[in-house]
C-alpha cells in the first residue's frame, strides 16, 4: 500500500474487482505492484496517479475517503472497465464504511449523536423466531452473510497471506460489505482487519505483525462459525455494534493522564488523550481521521473536540477538564455533542490524588481485569534493569514488584519517537519509575510502553509516542547497557502448535501439507501434558493434506471449510492456553481461565 492514497470503502474495491474480466483479474496483482511504484500527487480532495506520460488515475475523496466507484476515474482507452481503477482501489488503505442509511425513526436521536443503534433493532435485522417467542436468533439474511464471510475468509486462509492477492482480498471485502448491510458490524470489521493485515504482510509494512493477522483471521472465522447458532446475549455480542452508543453522564471532573498517537494501517491517524475522574474511571478524548504520520504527530497540538475549550491534546494530558452535559460511550470515549460544555481545570501529578490510586492497584489485579475484558492499560511502578534483544528490536527489562517484565515499543513507525525514547530509557538503568503500559497477553510478562515518569523530575511525565527524551533528561552519568540475547527456550512447548498456526496464515494450506511428519512434535506435546494440543496438531496437518482425487487421478477442489475449522480449533486453543499462561505469569486470576487443558470436545462445542 502507498500512504499517498486515500482510504477506499470496501464495497468500492469489491465492485471494481468484480467488474474485471477473468483475463484482467489474473493481471490485477501485477497491476497493483506497478501502480504503487508510480508517483501520486494530492490536490485537495483529489489524488492523481500518473500511470504513464499520457494517462492518469484520479481518486476523488471528499471528506478524505473514496465512497463510490465513480469517484475513481481513469483516462485510458479501456476505461471504465480497465485494470487501473481496480488496481488503485486495491492499493489504497481500506476505509471504515459508513453505517447503513435510513435509520428507523426511533433511532434518530442516537444517529444525531454520531452513533448507530445496536444491530438487531433496525428493519434489516428483525429476529427470526424459530423457537419460543423470547428466543432471538439470527435472521436468514445474517446467516447467509455469515456464510459468505466464512467462505471468503477460508479462501484467504487456504492461500495464505503470500498467495492472497487482490482478487481474494476483494472477495473478503465484498463479504464484509454484505455483513455490514445485514447488521453484522463485528464480522464486517473483522473481515476488513484481515484484508488490512494481508496487505501489510505482502507489502512488508514495518507495522505488520503475524500474530495480529492470525488473531484477526481467528476472530472473523470464529464469529462467522458461531453466529448462525447463537441466541440471546451471545448473538448480540457476535453481531456487534457499528458505533459505540453515547449515554448521558452528567458532570465530570477529569484529570489528564497521557496522550498517545494513533497511526493505523487503514489510513487513519490522530491522537487519543486519556483522563481519569476522582474515582479512577478512565475517559478518552480522541481526534482520529484519514491521514498519515504527519497527522499522528500534529494532532497532539490540535484543540480537543469537546465543548469550547482551547486545550490541545498535549496540554490536556497534563491539565484537567470540567465537563457538563457529558456523553460517554461504553469504552469511556467522551462525546462532542452540541449539549456538551467543557472548560479547562487544574491537573494532578501521577503521585498526587486522585491519580495516585491508579498505581495502588496490584499488577496482578490489573492484568486480571484486562484478561477478563476490561481496560488493558497497566499502571505500574518498575525499576529498569537493562535491555534484551528480540527479533523485532530491543525492549526494556524491568522489575515490577519482583516480577521480571519486558517493555516493548507501542509503535515501530520511524516518524514516531517510541523507539528512540526506549533506547534512551535503557541508559536510566536502576531508575525507579511509574509507567503506563498496555498489556500484551503472552506467557512471559510483557507490555507496550506508552508513558513514563520523567527520569529526573518525578512531577513531570513523558508521552513516549509524542515527546522526545534527550540525554539531558537522564540521570548524570547514565550509559545504555549492551542488550542481552533473548532466551530462545519456551517454558511450555505451545510454540510447537503456535508456529504451525502462524505458518498456515502466512503460507496457506500448501505449507502444512508439505511440512512432513510432525508426529514427534505431537508426541512431545502429549508427553508434557498437552494432549489436546497434540491432537489438534495432528488434525491440522491431516486437514491440510486431505485432497481427494477423481476416477482419473486428478485432484478435486480442496475442502477449504474443513481446513479452516481445523485451523480455527488450533488457533482458539492456542489463544486460550496463552491467556492462561499470561495470567499465571502475572499471578492473576481470570474468569474462564481453564484449570486444566481444554479438551477437543470443548473446542468443538465452541
Amino acid at each position: 500500500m502507498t500512504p499517498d492514497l486515500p482510504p477506499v470503502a470496501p464495497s468500492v474495491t469489491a465492485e471494481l474487482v468484480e467488474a474485471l474480466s477473468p483475463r484482467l483479474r489474473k493481471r490485477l496483482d501485477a497491476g497493483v505492484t506497478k501502480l504503487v511504484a508510480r508517483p501520486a500527487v494530492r490536490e485537495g480532495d483529489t489524488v492523481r496517479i500518473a500511470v504513464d506520460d499520457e494517462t492518469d488515475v484520479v481518486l476523488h475523496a471528499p471528506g478524505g475517503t473514496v465512497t463510490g466507484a465513480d469517484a475513481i476515474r481513469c483516462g485510458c482507452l479501456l476505461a471504465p472497465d480497465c485494470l487501473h481503477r481496480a488496481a488503485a482501489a486495491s492499493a489504497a488503505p481500506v476505509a471504515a464504511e459508513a453505517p447503513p442509511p435510513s435509520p428507523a425513526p426511533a433511532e434518530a436521536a442516537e444517529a444525531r449523536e454520531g452513533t448507530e443503534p445496536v444491530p438487531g433493532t433496525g428493519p434489516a435485522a428483525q429476529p427470526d423466531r424459530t423457537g419460543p417467542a423470547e428466543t432471538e436468533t439470527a435472521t436468514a439474511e445474517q446467516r447467509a452473510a455469515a456464510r459468505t464471510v466464512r467462505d471468503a475468509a477460508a479462501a484467504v486462509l487456504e492461500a495464505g497471506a503470500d498467495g492472497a492477492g487482490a482478487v481474494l482480498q476483494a472477495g473478503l471485502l465484498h463479504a464484509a460489505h454484505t455483513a455490514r448491510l445485514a447488521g453484522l458490524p463485528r464480522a464486517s470489521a473483522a473481515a476488513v482487519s484481515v484484508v488490512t493485515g494481508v496487505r501489510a504482510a505482502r507489502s512488508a509494512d514495518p507495522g505488520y505483525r503475524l500474530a495480529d493477522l492470525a488473531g484477526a483471521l481467528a476472530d472473523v472465522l470464529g464469529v462467522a462459525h458461531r453466529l448462525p447458532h447463537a441466541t440471546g446475549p451471545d448473538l448480540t455480542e457476535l453481531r456487534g455494534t457499528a458505533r459505540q452508543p453515547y449515554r448521558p453522564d452528567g458532570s465530570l471532573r477529569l484529570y489528564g493522564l497521557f496522550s498517545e498517537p494513533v497511526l493505523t494501517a487503514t489510513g487513519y491517524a490522530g491522537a487519543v488523550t486519556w483522563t481519569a475522574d476522582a474515582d479512577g474511571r478512565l475517559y478518552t478524548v480522541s481526534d482520529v481521521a484519514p491521514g498519515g504520520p504527519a497527522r499522528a504527530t500534529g494532532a497532539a497540538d490540535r484543540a480537543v473536540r469537546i465543548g469550547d475549550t482551547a486545550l490541545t491534546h498535549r496540554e490536556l494530558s497534563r491539565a484537567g477538564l470540567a465537563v457538563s452535559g457529558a456523553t460517554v460511550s461504553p469504552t469511556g470515549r467522551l462525546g462532542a455533542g452540541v449539549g456538551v460544555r467543557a472548560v479547562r481545570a487544574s491537573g494532578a501529578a501521577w503521585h498526587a490524588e486522585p491519580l495516585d490510586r491508579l498505581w495502588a492497584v496490584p499488577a496482578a489485579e490489573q492484568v486480571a481485569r484486562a484478561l477478563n475484558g476490561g481496560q488493558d492499560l497497566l499502571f505500574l511502578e518498575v525499576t529498569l534493569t537493562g535491555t534484551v534483544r528480540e527479533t523485532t528490536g530491543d525492549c526494556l527489562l524491568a522489575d515490577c514488584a519482583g516480577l521480571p517484565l519486558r517493555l516493548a515499543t507501542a509503535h515501530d513507525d520511524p516518524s514516531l519517537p517510541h523507539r528512540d525514547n526506549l533506547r534512551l530509557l535503557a541508559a536510566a538503568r536502576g531508575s525507579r519509575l511509574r509507567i503506563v503500559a498496555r498489556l500484551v497477553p503472552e506467557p512471559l510478562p510483557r507490555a507496550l510502553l506508552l508513558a513514563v515518569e520523567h527520569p529526573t523530575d518525578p512531577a513531570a511525565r513523558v508521552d513516549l509516542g509524542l515527546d522526545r527524551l534527550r540525554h539531558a533528561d537522564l540521570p548524570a552519568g547514565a550509559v545504555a547497557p549492551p542488550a542481552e540475547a533473548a532466551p530462545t527456550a519456551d517454558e511450555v512447548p505451545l510454540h510447537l502448535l503456535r508456529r504451525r498456526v502462524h505458518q498456515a496464515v502466512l503460507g496457506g494450506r500448501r505449507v502444512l501439507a508439505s511440512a512432513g511428519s510432525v508426529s514427534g512434535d505431537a508426541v512431545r506435546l502429549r508427553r508434557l501434558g498437552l494432549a489436546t494440543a497434540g491432537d489438534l496438531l495432528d488434525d491440522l496437518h491431516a486437514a491440510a493434506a486431505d485432497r481427494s482425487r477423481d476416477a482419473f487421478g486428478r485432484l478435486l477442489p480442496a475442502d477449504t471449510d474443513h481446513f479452516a475449522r481445523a485451523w480455527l480449533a488450533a488457533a482458539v486453543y492456542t489463544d486460550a492456553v496463552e491467556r492462561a499462561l499470561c495470567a499465571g505469569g502475572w499471578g492473576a486470576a481470570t474468569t474462564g481461565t481453564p484449570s486444566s487443558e481444554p479438551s477437543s470436545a470443548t473446542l468443538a462445542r465452541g
Side-chain angles (χ1 to χ4, degrees):
M1 294 183 292
T2 169
D4 297 321
L5 299 184
V8 176
S11 57
V12 174
T13 304
E15 178 182 343
L16 292 177
V17 174
E18 287 179 2
L20 294 177
S21 66
R23 179 179 65 85
L24 289 180
R25 287 190 183 189
K26 294 179 180 179
R27 297 169 50 192
L28 181 55
D29 287 331
V32 172
T33 301
K34 180 179 179 181
L35 196 71
V36 297
R38 302 298 299 170
V41 178
R42 182 180 294 272
E43 301 172 354
D45 292 336
T46 300
V47 175
R48 189 178 303 274
I49 308 171
V51 177
D52 53 40
D53 293 339
E54 300 179 352
T55 305
D56 290 345
V57 176
V58 179
L59 293 85
H60 184 53
T65 302
V66 177
T67 57
D70 57 353
I72 302 180
R73 301 185 298 273
C74 181
C76 75
L77 296 176
L78 296 179
D81 300 322
C82 63
L83 182 70
H84 304 131
R85 297 173 70 220
S90 300
V94 184
E97 287 194 290
S102 302
E107 301 157 357
E110 285 188 335
R112 284 195 298 270
E113 180 65 21
T115 66
E116 187 179 22
V118 176
T121 61
Q126 291 299 318
D128 177 15
R129 303 186 184 279
T130 57
E134 71 275 8
T135 302
E136 183 183 8
T137 63
T139 67
E141 182 185 8
Q142 289 174 339
R143 290 194 293 269
R147 285 194 297 270
T148 300
V149 170
R150 183 190 64 197
D151 292 344
V156 169
L157 177 63
E158 177 83 12
D162 291 342
V167 173
L168 284 179
Q169 294 170 27
L172 189 51
L173 290 178
H174 174 76
H177 180 62
T178 301
R180 184 186 68 89
L181 294 180
L184 302 177
R186 178 176 172 184
S188 177
V192 169
S193 294
V194 171
V195 174
T196 299
V198 167
R199 290 183 177 181
R202 293 171 63 85
S203 63
D205 189 312
Y208 160 72
R209 293 290 182 270
L210 178 56
D212 293 341
L213 177 54
L217 258 175
D219 187 27
V220 70
L221 286 170
V223 170
H225 171 73
R226 294 169 54 201
L227 189 138
H229 316 288
T231 60
D234 190 34
L235 175 60
T236 300
E237 177 191 355
L238 292 172
R239 282 174 174 163
T241 55
R243 287 179 180 160
Q244 295 287 353
Y246 286 79
R247 306 298 184 196
D249 203 18
S251 298
L252 297 173
R253 176 64 169 91
L254 304 176
Y255 301 83
L257 274 169
F258 74 100
S259 291
E260 62 174 321
V262 175
L263 183 59
T264 73
T266 57
Y268 288 82
V272 173
T273 297
W274 291 81
T275 66
D277 67 7
D279 296 323
R281 291 182 299 176
L282 301 182
Y283 298 83
T284 60
V285 180
S286 64
D287 179 6
V288 179
R295 194 180 196 286
T297 55
D301 295 314
R302 296 166 61 99
V304 297
R305 296 178 177 179
I306 179 170
D308 298 324
T309 178
L311 277 173
T312 66
H313 283 269
R314 194 185 302 274
E315 291 170 338
L316 176 58
S317 69
R318 292 160 174 82
L321 206 62
V323 186
S324 62
T327 57
V328 184
S329 78
T331 58
R333 180 176 175 180
L334 291 171
V338 293
V340 179
R341 297 288 183 267
V343 296
R344 180 172 186 156
S346 60
W350 282 1
H351 286 272
E353 288 293 341
L355 299 185
D356 180 67
R357 67 184 61 188
L358 295 171
W359 279 266
V361 180
E365 186 176 329
Q366 296 186 52
V367 170
R369 176 190 62 204
L371 293 177
N372 290 331
Q375 181 55 250
D376 63 355
L377 290 186
L378 303 179
F379 301 89
L380 307 173
E381 194 157 347
V382 304
T383 300
L384 302 183
T385 59
T387 57
V388 64
R389 181 169 294 110
E390 298 180 336
T391 56
T392 56
D394 293 352
C395 70
L396 283 175
L397 294 177
D399 178 88
C400 179
L403 190 72
L405 172 65
R406 296 188 183 192
L407 298 171
T409 56
H411 207 296
D412 285 329
D413 192 285
S415 64
L416 301 177
H418 284 291
R419 181 65 63 185
D420 293 339
N421 284 334
L422 186 139
R423 292 193 185 102
L424 276 176
L425 282 174
R429 185 175 184 176
S431 298
R432 186 165 183 80
L433 304 172
R434 285 190 168 184
I435 66 170
V436 182
R438 181 167 284 119
L439 176 67
V440 178
E442 291 186 356
L444 295 175
R446 185 183 184 90
L448 303 179
L449 195 56
L450 301 172
V452 63
E453 180 183 326
H454 194 282
T456 57
D457 183 3
R461 65 195 71 161
V462 181
D463 297 337
L464 296 176
L466 299 172
D467 304 325
R468 285 192 178 273
L469 281 169
R470 308 295 179 188
H471 283 285
D473 297 318
L474 302 178
V479 178
E484 305 172 8
T488 58
D490 204 341
E491 288 80 356
V492 177
L494 193 63
H495 65 280
L496 299 176
L497 179 61
R498 185 197 310 118
R499 71 184 180 188
R500 299 302 184 190
V501 170
H502 287 179
Q503 282 177 344
V505 172
L506 196 59
R509 174 201 291 265
R510 64 186 182 278
V511 172
L512 298 188
S514 60
S517 174
V518 293
S519 58
D521 288 346
V523 169
R524 182 182 175 191
L525 288 168
R526 294 187 182 97
R527 185 175 67 247
L528 293 173
L530 298 177
T532 302
D535 294 343
L536 291 172
L537 184 57
D538 287 340
D539 291 346
L540 183 57
H541 279 273
D546 183 16
R547 292 294 303 273
S548 302
R549 296 178 180 272
D550 62 15
F552 299 98
R554 295 172 298 193
L555 282 174
L556 295 173
D559 186 351
T560 58
D561 189 55
H562 179 206
F563 178 63
R565 289 198 310 271
W567 180 88
L568 179 60
V572 169
Y573 168 90
T574 303
D575 179 68
V577 175
E578 283 184 337
R579 289 171 65 84
L581 293 173
C582 175
W586 287 87
T590 62
T591 58
T593 299
S595 57
S596 59
E597 187 194 28
S599 66
S600 298
T602 300
L603 292 168
R605 289 194 301 271

